[in-house]
Amino acid sequence: MPFPHKDLLGIGQLSKEDILTILDATDSFKEISTRPIKKVPTLRGRTIVNLFFEPSTRTRTSFEIAGKRLSADVINISGSTSSVTKGESLLDTAYNLEAMNPDILVVRHSASGVPHMLASKVDCSVINAGDGAHEHPTQALLDLATIRQHKGEFDGLKVVIVGDITHSRVARSNILAMKTLGMAVTVVGPPTLIPVEMESLGVRVSYNLQEAIRDADVIMMLRIQEERHNQTTFPSIREYSVLFGLTAEKLKRAKEDVIILHPGPVNRGVEISPDVIEGDHSLILNQVNNGVAVRMTLMYLLLGGSDENPN
């Protein structure tokens, strides 16, 4: 059955069936990256433009590799090398790119809603690669793929998301997806980094990391996004790390089969200690690996593929 969406702008637009369709197809695309020749002709002749107005290592590289493994032509444009620096509006940049007939625009921007605005103005598909503190839907989907590979099912899993919830588009997308799939979500952090409306999303709020992780199946650690802070939100990094940093000692209170996720970039020794990053519970590099397969899947589905026999 064709995927019923032109764009991927946020998790909120996806039903439970949509999410499971993406994850089922991801299992097939993941195998391609294990082959000696990591390329299939699925999107030969298609053009994908990565339009990134914020710095990115993992996400932009992951989208580029995903497109190339599907044999698409992939063009990378950063904010500093675009005509926006010469005064051209973002919308005019998009119109000019569309005049060259791309099939997908992958957009990252510091302002919430930019991918949505562009999607309403252009005919090609748009994928939101992160917009301000709003959403990062492909990160949530690769997190779900990682969880399912290690836990099997979603329903009833207990997830704890720790850190700068207020400024995290990853937390917002994951909460929407996890609630849709029947998981119980607890957010943990300083009161200044947890939005007051958080409980209205159906999540539990805790300010005690050690208490919250005791019966968790999944712990997701988040970076403090100081670049988005316009005021001091806690007394010091050291105090934050003592109260909310995940260490091997604190992890002893968690379940033996708990898994640990982090969307990156990681600040070692701040939100998570090096021995936890490299420990047996950590799936951080598995997330990066799954990111390529998830983005291959989305490109394929948005351009008209079905979830049946994608290869």
Side-chain angles (χ1 to χ4, degrees):
M1 185 175 68
F3 194 60
H5 302 281
K6 165 184 167 284
D7 312 294
L8 178 66
L9 303 176
I11 291 295
Q13 74 180 80
L14 301 178
S15 66
K16 178 178 179 179
E17 289 70 28
D18 291 335
I19 294 173
L20 294 178
T21 293
I22 294 167
L23 298 182
D24 289 344
T26 293
D27 291 339
S28 298
F29 281 106
K30 188 174 170 62
E31 184 271 334
I32 294 171
S33 294
T34 67
R35 300 176 186 175
I37 305 298
K38 304 174 181 63
K39 181 169 279 195
V40 293
T42 309
L43 296 186
R44 181 180 295 158
R46 301 285 197 155
T47 303
I48 296 166
V49 177
N50 291 326
L51 190 56
F52 275 56
F53 290 92
E54 278 191 318
S56 172
T57 301
R58 274 159 299 280
T59 303
R60 200 186 80 165
T61 305
S62 182
F63 271 109
E64 181 175 358
I65 290 174
K68 288 181 174 178
R69 288 197 177 157
L70 294 172
S71 299
D73 298 315
V74 181
I75 312 298
N76 294 314
I77 301 174
S78 66
S80 61
T81 59
S82 76
S83 290
V84 170
T85 60
K86 301 176 181 176
E88 183 176 73
S89 73
L90 176 62
L91 191 54
D92 281 332
T93 296
Y95 283 147
N96 278 275
L97 291 174
E98 192 185 34
M100 297 180 231
N101 300 313
D103 296 285
I104 297 177
L105 286 181
V106 179
V107 180
R108 168 173 283 200
H109 201 282
S110 60
S112 299
V114 164
H116 303 68
M117 182 271 288
L118 294 182
S120 71
K121 302 292 185 182
V122 300
D123 292 330
C124 65
S125 293
V126 174
I127 297 178
N128 181 359
D131 62 324
H134 180 225
E135 276 224 45
H136 194 345
T138 61
Q139 178 67 45
L141 291 167
L142 73 87
D143 292 338
L144 294 176
T146 307
I147 291 170
R148 190 166 80 163
Q149 285 164 10
H150 290 267
K151 294 295 184 183
E153 301 292 335
F154 295 115
D155 194 40
L157 288 180
K158 296 179 179 177
V159 183
V160 174
I161 304 176
V162 185
D164 185 355
I165 308 297
T166 297
H167 302 94
S168 176
R169 53 197 177 201
V170 173
R172 199 171 307 279
S173 288
N174 264 296
I175 288 169
L176 292 171
M178 289 170 175
K179 296 299 295 178
T180 299
L181 295 173
M183 290 183 264
V185 181
T186 299
V187 296
V188 181
T192 50
L193 292 180
I194 297 180
V196 293
E197 75 275 12
M198 193 67 357
E199 289 175 326
S200 68
L201 296 178
V203 306
R204 191 170 77 89
V205 175
S206 172
Y207 307 112
N208 186 322
L209 175 61
Q210 297 188 55
E211 181 272 331
I213 66 174
R214 191 165 297 161
D215 62 348
D217 299 295
V218 181
I219 302 172
M220 178 179 292
M221 303 303 297
L222 301 175
R223 179 178 65 91
I224 302 167
Q225 301 193 37
E226 292 187 275
E227 72 275 18
R228 302 188 197 282
H229 294 188
N230 54 21
Q231 61 184 3
T232 302
T233 50
F234 47 83
S236 69
I237 289 290
R238 183 178 180 281
E239 181 178 310
Y240 178 88
S241 184
V242 168
L243 292 175
F244 299 105
L246 186 61
T247 63
E249 184 62 30
K250 291 175 185 172
L251 201 54
K252 291 178 181 176
R253 296 170 174 81
K255 295 166 70 172
E256 288 186 1
D257 62 346
V258 69
I259 61 174
I260 297 169
L261 307 180
H262 193 307
V266 170
N267 289 321
R268 288 175 177 253
V270 178
E271 71 269 14
I272 187 169
S273 64
D275 52 353
V276 175
I277 294 171
E278 294 157 10
D280 295 337
H281 300 280
S282 173
L283 299 178
I284 295 171
L285 294 182
N286 300 64
Q287 293 172 266
V288 177
N289 181 269
N290 284 326
V292 174
V294 163
R295 287 158 180 141
M296 290 169 73
T297 301
L298 289 167
M299 292 171 179
Y300 168 76
L301 291 175
L302 289 173
L303 294 184
S306 74
D307 57 324
E308 298 175 359
N309 191 26
N311 301 316

